[in-house]
Amino acid sequence: SLRSIYIPEGVTIINQYTFNNCISLKSISIPEGVTSIGDGAFAGCTSLTSLYIPERVTIIAYQVFYSCTSLKSIYLSEKVTSIRSYAFSKCSSLKSIDIPEKVTSIGDSAFQDCSSLTSISSFNLTTPTLSGNIFLNLPTNGTLHIKPGATGYDAWLSKLPEGWRIVEDL
């Protein structure tokens, strides 16, 4: 029945599976001092609607938001370099995501079954490396937004559902 939590300053690590399946958790304040959020830390938090990831976190861990079905928005800092496998899988309310410029790799099934995701913005001029079924079961007719002159994103079209298009407008 945990609905909200405030993590005090001084905490630097949220261990793996810390809030796993806290189905009533709607809000959490993560302090700027946090440098690491472990695998599955918020997996199954089906009431969580939005989250701000602090600037010092550079890796979006394995299954960290898996099946957060009410997650509508998330802010990833510009310092994120990797999005691991199943990180956002089954986040069925997530409509859009901004992938920061420093992301160099996105793991297998990272956005699988995100049934509302129709807008992805990637700020990297060179496409991040994609693994496996990264975009399995996304809606058709979405838009991948990239910077003008960005290269390698045509490879994403083979992984995105039919009907997705690339627009250079960032």
Side-chain angles (χ1 to χ4, degrees):
S1 60
L2 180 66
R3 292 183 186 266
S4 67
I5 190 163
Y6 169 79
I7 299 173
E9 292 296 328
V11 172
T12 58
I13 296 171
I14 298 174
N15 287 324
Q16 60 186 16
Y17 306 106
T18 302
F19 300 102
N20 187 347
N21 288 321
C22 288
I23 60 172
S24 298
L25 184 63
K26 289 186 178 185
S27 67
I28 186 165
S29 176
I30 302 173
E32 283 298 323
V34 170
T35 59
S36 176
I37 300 174
D39 295 348
F42 298 100
C45 292
T46 56
S47 297
L48 191 64
T49 58
S50 66
L51 198 59
Y52 169 84
I53 303 298
E55 293 292 322
R56 293 183 181 174
V57 175
T58 59
I59 296 172
I60 304 303
Y62 171 77
Q63 287 189 339
V64 69
F65 301 108
Y66 181 85
S67 200
C68 288
T69 55
S70 296
L71 188 65
K72 292 180 181 176
S73 65
I74 188 158
Y75 169 79
L76 304 179
S77 86
E78 294 176 6
K79 295 183 180 176
V80 170
T81 60
S82 177
I83 299 173
R84 300 274 168 86
S85 296
Y86 298 93
F88 297 98
S89 185
K90 298 189 181 223
C91 290
S92 55
S93 295
L94 190 64
K95 293 180 180 181
S96 66
I97 186 101
D98 290 347
I99 299 172
E101 184 174 2
K102 292 182 180 178
V103 171
T104 59
S105 65
I106 303 175
D108 185 38
S109 302
F111 298 101
Q112 179 178 326
D113 296 321
C114 290
S115 56
S116 298
L117 186 61
T118 57
S119 178
I120 300 170
S121 298
S122 183
F123 291 88
N124 198 321
L125 282 173
T126 305
T127 183
T129 303
L130 304 180
S131 298
N133 296 316
I134 185 171
F135 302 118
L136 191 64
N137 298 326
L138 264 61
T140 58
N141 300 319
T143 305
L144 172 60
H145 302 272
I146 62 173
K147 289 184 172 183
T151 60
Y153 284 96
D154 288 341
W156 285 41
L157 290 179
S158 66
K159 298 208 180 257
L160 286 162
E162 191 172 323
W164 275 68
R165 62 190 178 100
I166 296 175
V167 177
E168 295 183 4
D169 62 354
L170 295 179

